[in-house]
Amino acid sequence: MVSRSMEKSRSLHGRVAVVTGAGQGVGRGIAVALSRAGASLLLVGRTESKLEDVAGELRGPGGEAAVLALDIAAEDAPARIVEAATSEFGGVDILVNNANVAFPVPLEASGDDFFRQCFEAGPRAGLALMRAVRPVMAERGGGVIINLATSAAVRWDAAGYGVYAAIKEAQRALTRAAAHEWADDGIRALSVAPHAHSPGLDWWIENNPEEAEEFVASIPAGRIGDPLEDIGVPVAWLCSDEARYLTGATIPLDGGQSRWG
């Protein structure tokens, strides 16, 4: 039996998608799913070799992909991203703000420099890129912005997740505002709160087997999500016209682990 994500859909044919943090984990999963749905991809991240690996994976079955290695927090990053997407594919229809440098750490150990760095690479850079793609999307008749949130914001035990959740909640607030302010441009904005395998999470599981077992047991679905099948495929659907009436919402893709109000 072939899964939906393995089938070559055309729901996003002719669309151009920008995915930040696309070199691994959830970013890679989303990029692959968008490509299989027919979109052309600009893969953005800090490590060119990882981006090229993903690009090769997309091009193999006939997908279109280009890479742009940069620091998402750089002042000229938004302009360079829009320029690259326009030069390669003619514009931008989908933006996935996935790049992130924040990670769980106790409040006492966070430090001002750490918080500033997380804020700069998260909501500040994300908003700058949202503003940069808005006129391009509007000119093309609309678009979709997906910002990555976190279920840590509604976690039963918030210890250690304060800064990480605060950064992601800031992006979630920006998403909600964009959904209202840019609706007349035909732009939809959504937050997605994923829970899936990543290099960092897999390292933690390997080094903390007992805690990891308890953690998985707290997920009603009984497992940690797959970046492509459980995150990428739903995101591709959210970007399609089938979801055209959905905007401003937060979509939890976490196997039912966290309670969203």
Side-chain angles (χ1 to χ4, degrees):
M1 181 177 179
V2 180
S3 70
R4 283 186 57 197
S5 70
M6 296 300 290
E7 298 173 351
K8 186 64 176 178
S9 166
R10 307 308 295 171
S11 62
L12 299 178
H13 178 65
R15 312 285 175 86
V16 179
V18 173
V19 180
T20 68
Q24 63 185 16
V26 168
R28 173 199 160 274
I30 292 174
V32 172
L34 292 174
S35 179
R36 291 181 180 176
S40 300
L41 269 294
L42 176 64
L43 309 172
V44 180
R46 289 179 293 181
T47 308
E48 186 169 7
S49 60
K50 291 182 178 180
L51 298 174
E52 288 291 358
D53 287 344
V54 178
E57 185 178 357
L58 304 187
R59 293 171 186 145
E64 292 188 328
V67 306
L68 179 62
L70 50 66
D71 179 357
I72 195 68
E75 289 296 327
D76 65 344
R80 290 178 60 191
I81 290 170
V82 172
E83 180 181 0
T86 302
S87 175
E88 290 284 346
F89 305 117
V92 181
D93 304 293
I94 297 166
L95 168 64
V96 180
N97 267 322
N98 170 66
N100 170 61
V101 300
F103 55 87
V105 61
L107 294 177
E108 287 293 332
S110 62
D112 288 347
D113 288 343
F114 174 73
F115 186 86
R116 289 192 189 96
Q117 181 185 24
C118 293
F119 187 88
E120 281 293 315
R124 203 282 304 165
L127 176 58
L129 187 49
M130 288 166 63
R131 287 195 299 248
V133 301
R134 178 198 176 187
V136 181
M137 287 184 173
E139 185 177 349
R140 291 165 67 87
V144 182
I145 295 171
I146 304 286
N147 288 329
L148 275 290
T150 180
S151 58
V154 291
R155 184 179 165 83
W156 61 96
D157 179 3
Y161 290 89
V163 170
Y164 181 66
I167 293 301
K168 291 292 190 176
E169 282 292 271
Q171 285 189 266
R172 200 159 74 96
L174 296 172
T175 307
R176 180 75 175 163
H180 284 252
E181 294 179 15
W182 300 347
D184 287 346
D185 293 323
I187 295 173
R188 295 189 293 116
L190 294 161
S191 294
V192 171
H195 182 40
H197 284 284
S198 68
L201 178 59
D202 291 344
W203 179 91
W204 179 80
I205 290 172
E206 183 178 348
N207 288 273
N208 301 274
E210 293 184 3
E211 293 179 51
E213 185 176 354
E214 294 179 2
F215 182 72
V216 173
S218 71
I219 304 172
R223 61 182 177 81
I224 295 171
D226 177 80
L228 170 57
E229 300 287 351
D230 298 318
I231 311 300
V233 173
V235 168
W237 179 82
L238 291 171
C239 293
S240 75
D241 290 340
E242 292 182 350
R244 65 185 183 181
Y245 199 50
L246 183 57
T247 191
T250 297
I251 313 299
L253 299 174
D254 62 0
Q257 186 183 46
S258 296
R259 179 181 177 182
W260 289 88

